């Protein structure tokens, strides 16, 4: 068998520009270095350093370690990854493989080192690790849910959104089988979609309604499984219809935008970099024609329309706008050819294209003549306001942030002569007018709070120079500038002596009213909206102590004393009164000593100045004697009613008897008379005619019949006279 000549390959390896080959004897001295090694390392003029888990110098200890390992195992290849650095601080990494070179006797003669530049792969590895960390951080920071599933359907990774969505921790998900956590259910799309993506390695998107929410899902296949990103689109689903409707409106708006621009009273001209007119609205066409007697045309040089004397200002603002700044011209009084004048405000806006690059300047001119007229009116109003402030009896002082006096009204000047011997002056430090050190410190504390945005309202008794004192209401207000920053403090002082005197009268009246309420035997308790006891009279305190062995106390909850007096609970009764009802009830109260008495309980809504119910008045009246009197009256009424009933029954019996007597009289006059008359007539016939035997028998039969009729009538009368039926 022929032998392959490896010398050409050895030569090629030794001369490779990518492989660093060196030999060292067992003492560590370099006996050979290929050109690539010499070119790369000799200019460094330092020993080689290596890195594995930590940095090492290529010193005797490292070489000894390599030699000992190869001596113990000559067939071993020792791998060391080293880091090198140039004098210019450029760093690269080298991969070294050290192996033993044996002599003819099989002993280790030298150590061969073969290395190559691994900088790119090493840095790529670092970048990969860093990217992995970033990916994990990104996945946890994104608003989409994410989870990865291996080919065997085990969950490999989840982010925080997924944990929050399914209410499970990563430790409860990672490593678990997907179908154990989310059982395959044919009513959902995700099982079939996941299986299809896993099998066909296709990116699939679908929407799913799961656990009461809509989710948009995207499934990405990768070598070992699938990655799923999902997003809660419940809100998106809700507004999709609105968006569609808005899109239709937007189309209409775009069509109307031109019409709106043309209908605007402001002028708009779009000017390119070279002053070329790109577009304009109808108002601009009209305004420029009125001023220049010439129509604007797209493509024309706008510079010809710049008002003479304003060219430099125009160029300055135009180029600032081209640099991205929105600028505004000073207000100009522009005379038109017809002699009329208008105040105009000119603004320059940068115009951006779809790539967010400035391609033009929007020139906007607004007629502000009316605004200037309003400003003039405002100035006049300011003068009038100043006159009003000077005529009021209240003091007004405007103070800067360093206590400097910015402005004040005449009343402030006049009033401060009562407190201080000095007069107020613009620019003076206000603190010099506060004589009392204690008052000065309080003023400084309040001033600092107002500079922070607070509004402070206090009442204080101030000493005057004549030794007397007067009540003043002091108010501090923050004053804001155009950028909504506090630049001053408005200090206002009002004479409230009359108010305080009136308050004292009210307090005296309240004390008298309290004395009146305390002198009555009726109970009065005022209860706040949160059931807190606001006030009560002495009778209420005494009665509730007798009932609960506990004194009433302002601020206590009335619920610990409240007793329901209707079918509703006390809270319901209370809410009804707060709604404006007046409730009344009579109750039989049992006291701790066994005594029982009647009380009338009433609840009234109590209204404040704004006609809002702010409290409930609880009133209890002793009606025990009245209830006893009512009971006596009731018993008397029962007795009287029984007597009247007896009288009525007797009267009814008499009426019935009278009716029976009337009936008997009717029977006597009509029914009784008929058979009696028949009998008498037959007797008269017998006496007068002396009838024969046959006629006599006939008359006797007639008499017998009439006698029977008479007997029936008599029995009927007897029956009618049985009055026991109505007894």
């Amino acid at each position: 068998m022929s032998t392959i000549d490896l010398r050409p390959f050895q030569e090629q390896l030794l001369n490779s520009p990518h492989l660093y080959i060196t030999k060292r004897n067992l003492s560590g001295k370099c006996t050979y270095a290929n050109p690539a090694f010499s070119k790369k390392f000799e200019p460094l003029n330092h020993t080689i350093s290596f890195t594995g888990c930590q940095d090492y110098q290529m010193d005797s200890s490292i070489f000894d370690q390599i030699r000992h390992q190869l001596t113990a195992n000559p067939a071993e290849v020792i791998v060391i990854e080293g880091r090198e650095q140039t004098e210019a601080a450029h760093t690269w990494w080298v991969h070294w493989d050290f192996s033993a070179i044996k002599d003819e006797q099989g002993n280790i003669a030298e150590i061969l080192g073969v290395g190559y530049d691994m900088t790119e792969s090493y840095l790529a590895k670092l970048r990969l690790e860093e990217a992995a960390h970033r990916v994990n951080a990104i996945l946890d920071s994104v608003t989409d849910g994410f989870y990865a599933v291996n080919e065997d359907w085990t969950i490999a990774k989840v982010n925080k959104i997924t944990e929050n969505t399914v209410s499970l921790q990563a430790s409860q998900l990672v490593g678990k089988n997907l179908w154990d956590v989310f059982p395959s259910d044919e009513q959902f799309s995700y099982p079939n979609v996941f299986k299809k993506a896993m099998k066909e390695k296709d990116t699939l998107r679908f929407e799913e309604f799961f656990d009461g929410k809509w989710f948009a899902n995207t499934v990405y296949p990768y070598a070992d499984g699938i990655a799923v990103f999902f997003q809660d689109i419940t809100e998106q689903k809700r507004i999709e219809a609105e968006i569609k409707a808005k899109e239709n409106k937007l189309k209409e708006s775009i069509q109307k935008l031109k019409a709106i621009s043309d209908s605007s009273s402001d002028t708009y001209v779009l000017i390119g970099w070279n002053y070329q007119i790109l577009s304009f609205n109808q108002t601009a066409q009209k305004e420029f024609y009125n001023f220049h007697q010439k129509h604007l045309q797209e493509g024309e040089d706008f510079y010809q329309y710049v008002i003479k004397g304003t060219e430099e200002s125009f160029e300055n603002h135009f180029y600032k706008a081209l640099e991205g700044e929105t600028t505004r011209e000073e207000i100009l009084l522009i005379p038109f050819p017809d002699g009329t004048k208008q105040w105009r405000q000119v603004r320059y806006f940068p115009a951006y294209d779809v790539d967010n690059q400035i391609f033009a300047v929007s020139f906007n001119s607004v007629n502000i003549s009316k605004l200037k007229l309003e400003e003039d009116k405002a100035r006049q109003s300011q003068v009038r306001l100043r006159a009003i402030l000077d005529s009021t009896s209240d003091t007004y002082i405007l103070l800067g942030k360093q206590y400097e006096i910015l402005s004040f009204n005449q009343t402030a000047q006049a009033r401060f002569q009562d407190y201080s011997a000095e007069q107020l002056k613009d620019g003076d430090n206000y603190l010099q007018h506060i004589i009392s050190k204690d008052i000065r410190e309080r003023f400084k504390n309040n001033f600092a709070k107002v500079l922070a945005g607070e509004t402070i309202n206090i009442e204080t008794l101030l000493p005057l120079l004549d030794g007397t004192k007067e009540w003043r209401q002091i108010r501090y207000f923050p004053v804001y500038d155009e950028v909504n920053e506090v630049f001053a403090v408005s200090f206002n002082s009002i004479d409230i002596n009359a108010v305080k005197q009136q308050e004292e009268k009210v307090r005296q009246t309240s004390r008298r009213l309290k004395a009146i309420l305390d002198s009555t035997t009726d109970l009065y308790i005022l209860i706040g909206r949160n059931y807190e006891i606001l006030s009560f009279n002495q009778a209420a305190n005494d009665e509730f102590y007798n009932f609960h062995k506990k004194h009433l106390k302002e601020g206590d909850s009335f619920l610990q004393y409240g007793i329901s007096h209707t079918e509703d609970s006390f809270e319901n009764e209370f809410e009804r009164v707060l709604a404006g009802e007046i409730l009344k009830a009579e109750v039989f109260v049992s006291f701790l000593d066994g005594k029982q008495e009647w009380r009338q309980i009433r609840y009234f809504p109590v209204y404040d100045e704004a006609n809002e119910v702010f409290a409930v008045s609880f009133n209890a009246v002793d009606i025990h004697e009245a209830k006893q009197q009512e009971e006596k009256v009731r018993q008397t009424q029962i007795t009287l009613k029984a007597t009247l009933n007896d009288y009525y029954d007797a009267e009814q019996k008499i009426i019935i008897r009278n009716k029976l007597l009337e009936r008997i009289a009717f029977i006597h006059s009509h029914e009784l008379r008929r058979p009696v008359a028949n009998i008498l007539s037959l007797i008269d016939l017998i006496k007068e005619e002396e009838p024969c035997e046959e006629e006599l028998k006939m008359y006797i039969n007639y008499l017998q019949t009439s006698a029977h009729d008479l007997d029936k009538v008599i029995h009927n009368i007897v029956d009618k006279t049985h009055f026991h039926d109505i007894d």
Side-chain angles (χ1 to χ4, degrees), residues 223-321:
D224 299 324
I226 57 173
V228 182
F229 286 87
F230 65 89
Q231 188 178 41
D232 186 344
I233 59 169
T234 306
E235 182 66 13
Q236 177 182 336
K237 280 285 188 179
R238 185 188 66 80
I239 64 176
E240 275 182 355
E242 297 179 11
I243 292 176
K244 188 173 182 179
K246 289 179 180 178
E247 286 177 350
N248 294 333
K249 290 182 180 179
L250 180 60
K251 292 178 181 178
E252 296 177 3
S253 299
I254 293 174
Q255 295 172 354
K256 295 176 182 177
L257 185 59
K258 176 64 176 173
I260 293 173
S261 174
D262 287 339
S263 65
S264 172
S265 60
D266 298 348
T267 64
Y268 288 95
V269 183
L270 192 63
I271 309 169
W273 282 77
N274 56 356
Y275 302 124
Q276 181 184 17
I277 298 175
L278 303 178
S279 181
F280 51 85
N281 66 346
Q282 290 183 2
T283 304
Q285 180 71 280
K286 180 180 177 181
E287 291 287 345
F288 275 79
Y289 181 80
N290 290 339
F291 193 86
H292 296 279
Q293 298 299 305
K294 181 180 179 182
H295 287 293
L296 292 173
Q297 292 186 11
E298 292 182 359
E300 279 189 329
D301 189 343
F302 182 79
Y303 206 85
Q304 61 181 306
Y305 296 100
V306 177
I307 300 173
K308 291 182 179 180
T310 65
E311 294 88 350
E312 183 179 352
S313 176
F314 169 78
E315 292 178 2
N316 181 38
H317 289 281
F318 184 82
Y319 285 109
K320 284 184 178 179

Side-chain angles (χ1 to χ4, degrees), residues 306-500:
V306 177
I307 300 173
K308 291 182 179 180
T310 65
E311 294 88 350
E312 183 179 352
S313 176
F314 169 78
E315 292 178 2
N316 181 38
H317 289 281
F318 184 82
Y319 285 109
K320 284 184 178 179
L322 287 177
E323 293 174 357
E325 186 178 349
T326 298
T327 65
R328 180 179 301 178
E329 280 269 24
E330 293 293 331
I331 297 172
L332 304 174
L333 185 61
I334 302 176
F336 279 72
D338 61 1
T340 60
K341 295 181 179 181
Q342 287 186 3
W343 282 97
R344 310 289 295 189
Q345 184 183 60
V346 181
R347 293 174 294 181
Y348 301 79
F349 302 93
Y352 296 86
D353 59 18
V354 293
D355 297 322
N356 203 32
Q357 299 295 318
I358 297 174
F359 75 98
V361 172
S362 176
F363 174 88
N364 169 232
S365 175
V366 183
N367 186 345
I368 59 169
S369 298
K370 291 183 179 179
L371 178 61
K372 292 298 290 183
L373 181 61
E374 292 298 325
E375 286 181 354
D376 186 58
K377 291 181 180 179
R379 282 192 292 270
Q380 295 178 12
S381 298
Q382 188 175 7
V383 173
R384 297 190 190 100
L385 179 60
R386 179 71 185 187
I388 293 172
L389 290 177
D390 285 340
S391 65
T392 183
S393 61
D394 299 344
T395 65
Y396 288 93
I397 303 174
L398 190 65
L399 302 177
K401 299 176 75 170
Q402 303 300 323
Y403 309 111
E404 70 276 15
I405 299 174
L406 302 178
S407 181
F408 54 88
N409 67 344
Q410 291 182 0
T411 305
Q413 182 67 277
R415 293 298 299 167
F416 263 76
Q417 292 180 1
D418 296 334
Y419 302 101
S420 175
E422 300 181 8
Q423 289 189 343
L424 296 175
K425 293 181 182 179
D426 288 344
D428 280 356
N429 190 316
Y430 180 76
L431 293 179
Q432 70 185 23
H433 297 283
I434 304 177
I435 300 174
S436 170
K437 181 178 179 181
D438 182 52
I439 296 177
R440 187 185 301 116
E441 290 302 317
R442 290 202 303 269
F443 175 84
K444 290 169 69 176
N445 289 335
N446 291 330
F447 195 87
K449 292 179 181 178
V450 178
L451 287 180
E454 288 189 44
T455 296
I456 296 178
N457 192 343
I458 59 175
E459 295 179 355
T460 184
L461 192 61
L462 296 178
L464 304 180
L465 291 177
D466 61 4
T468 61
K469 295 182 178 181
E470 69 174 7
W471 280 99
R472 306 290 293 185
Q473 183 183 45
I474 309 297
R475 293 180 294 182
Y476 303 79
F477 302 95
V479 183
Y480 297 87
D481 57 17
E482 296 82 359
V483 295
N484 203 32
E485 300 226 351
V486 177
F487 78 96
V489 172
S490 175
F491 177 76
N492 169 229
S493 173
I494 302 174
D495 183 353
I496 57 171
N497 272 317
V499 174
K500 299 302 284 187

Side-chain angles (χ1 to χ4, degrees), residues 671-705:
E671 298 180 6
L672 182 62
R673 293 292 300 171
R674 181 175 55 78
V676 171
N678 290 336
I679 292 172
L680 292 175
S681 296
L682 289 172
I683 292 173
D684 289 340
L685 286 174
I686 293 173
K687 289 179 178 181
E688 292 176 358
E689 296 181 0
E690 295 181 1
C692 62
E693 184 178 356
E694 290 295 328
E695 290 177 342
L696 183 60
K697 288 181 180 180
M698 181 182 66
Y699 288 150
I700 291 172
N701 289 332
Y702 286 150
L703 286 172
Q704 189 175 9
T705 300

